[in-house]
Structures are given as structure tokens and as C-alpha cells.
Amino acid sequence: MAKTAAKKKGEGAPPRADGRKALLLYLHPEVTLALKKAALEVSKPAYEVAEGAIKEWLRRRK
């Protein structure tokens, strides 16, 4: 079965209560594995560790 055309604006998953939005990133497998291991070490979800690192990087760029 062929993939359908891009979804129209407003279609897809319902909005999250916390306001977060999905972002697809392609990472090398070793980076993904290291992120998951680091997140386990600090008892946090990987997305929180990644978001914290991105926020820090953005803060330093200013």
C-alpha cells in the first residue's frame, strides 16, 4: 500500500495537555543508546535529558 500524502494541518495526534509538540530527529544509533543509558542513570525519561541539553545549548548560543 502506498503512503498517503502529507497530513493536512490540524490532523494527527490531539494536542498534549502540557503543550509539548512532537519533533522527529534522526540520530546515530550510538547516540540514541548513550542518551537512553544516561537517562536511566539519572532516573529521567530520555526526552527530558535531551530537552535539557537542547535548552542549555540554546542558552549558551545567546
Side-chain angles (χ1 to χ4, degrees), residues 10-30:
E11 290 183 8
R16 295 182 56 93
D18 60 9
R20 287 186 288 139
K21 295 190 179 224
L23 171 68
L24 176 64
L25 298 173
Y26 289 93
L27 303 172
H28 289 282
E30 63 273 10

Side-chain angles (χ1 to χ4, degrees), residues 2 4-5 12 15 22-23 26 28-29 31-32 34 37 43-44 47 50 53 62:
T4 59
L23 171 68
Y26 289 93
H28 289 282
V31 175
T32 302
K37 285 181 178 180
S43 300
K44 290 186 175 185
Y47 81 86
K62 290 184 179 181

Side-chain angles (χ1 to χ4, degrees), residues 1-8 11:
M1 177 155 68
K3 289 188 178 181
T4 59
K7 290 186 177 184
K8 295 176 187 173
E11 290 183 8

